[in-house]
Amino acid sequence: MIRSELVAIVAEQNPHLTVRDVEAIVTTIFDEIADALAEGRRVELRGFGAFSTRAREARTGRNPRTGTAVEVDAKRVPYFKPGKELREKLNA
Amino acid sequence: MASKASAGSVTRADLADAVHREIGLSRTESAQLVEAVLDRICDALIAGSNVKISSFGSFVLRNKGLRVGRNPKTGVEVPIEPRTVLTFRPSQLLREAINRG
């Protein structure tokens, strides 16, 4: 399922809203999650899962094509841990 | 969005509040829509399809085969049954947003 399909399903179930409204709602939800993560905050959605960020240390990487060593800076990466309820439903 | 309190986790209520502010729907309806969006994502995953939210990331299902695990406390071998696990692959945009500034 892609974003536009998600929007279409939710719009279909909410006939008083336009596809454009639902598009804006979906955008708002994911922007809010992204903004929170950028601020270093955790997003906890019970039953669904939790988004957080994890620190990665600086390392020396290699350009896979040329083999040249390149310094990779320390960074934070987004992480998602699925909630218990969802994990169980995936294996029901 | 800069006026947000930095303490505590962001929850469904905060997402609903953002929808209420940005879209202007009532708080009740905003909460219902946040729930609907999350539920439809769960439905798709439970039905076995991956979910790709452009500019945010993809929720990807992976099938794990049977393997032998060990109880770390007792050392007893236990079979770990084949199962489906959910992973999240953040988009390049989200990765960059998190490391900006």
Side-chain angles (χ1 to χ4, degrees):
Chain A
M1 179 169 81
I2 61 171
R3 189 192 200 113
S4 58
E5 293 166 332
L6 171 64
V7 168
I9 297 168
V10 175
E12 204 175 303
Q13 292 172 335
N14 292 274
H16 59 296
L17 298 175
T18 65
V19 169
R20 252 181 126 167
D21 292 332
V22 178
E23 183 77 61
I25 290 163
V26 168
T27 300
T28 300
I29 292 171
F30 288 103
D31 281 358
E32 196 67 14
I33 296 173
D35 288 349
L37 292 175
E39 287 172 16
R41 303 178 68 194
R42 184 184 154 84
V43 180
E44 201 172 315
L45 306 170
R46 291 277 154 80
F48 183 75
F51 295 92
S52 58
T53 55
R54 297 192 158 185
R56 291 280 178 270
E57 281 177 25
R59 62 186 171 86
T60 306
R62 261 176 208 288
N63 180 326
R65 196 174 297 186
T66 63
T68 319
V70 271
E71 294 309 316
V72 181
D73 291 340
K75 62 184 171 192
R76 286 189 297 144
V77 294
Y79 176 75
F80 174 71
K81 185 181 194 309
K84 189 163 180 260
E85 198 185 317
L86 180 54
R87 276 204 311 270
E88 286 172 356
K89 282 183 183 162
L90 292 174
N91 288 287
Chain B
M1 247 158 273
S3 63
K4 233 183 311 186
S6 63
S9 298
V10 170
T11 63
R12 278 179 168 73
D14 297 303
L15 299 183
D17 196 55
V19 171
H20 167 68
R21 269 184 286 122
E22 304 280 330
I23 317 292
L25 298 177
S26 74
R27 286 179 191 278
T28 311
E29 197 178 6
S30 298
Q32 282 165 355
L33 277 148
V34 168
E35 208 54 44
V37 168
L38 296 177
D39 283 351
R40 298 297 77 80
I41 294 173
C42 287
D43 290 351
L45 294 168
I46 291 163
S49 53
N50 294 339
V51 176
K52 185 174 178 176
I53 307 294
S54 57
S55 83
F56 185 77
S58 301
F59 297 92
V60 182
L61 297 164
R62 314 190 70 146
N63 293 309
K64 299 282 190 174
L66 176 81
R67 68 184 173 91
V68 180
R70 215 176 258 282
N71 180 326
K73 212 173 268 183
T74 62
V76 180
E77 286 190 353
V78 279
I80 297 179
E81 297 301 322
R83 67 204 195 286
T84 302
V85 297
L86 174 60
T87 59
F88 175 64
R89 273 189 55 81
S91 73
Q92 195 55 38
L93 231 81
L94 181 61
R95 287 171 185 272
E96 284 165 9
I98 281 165
N99 287 286
R100 205 169 291 140

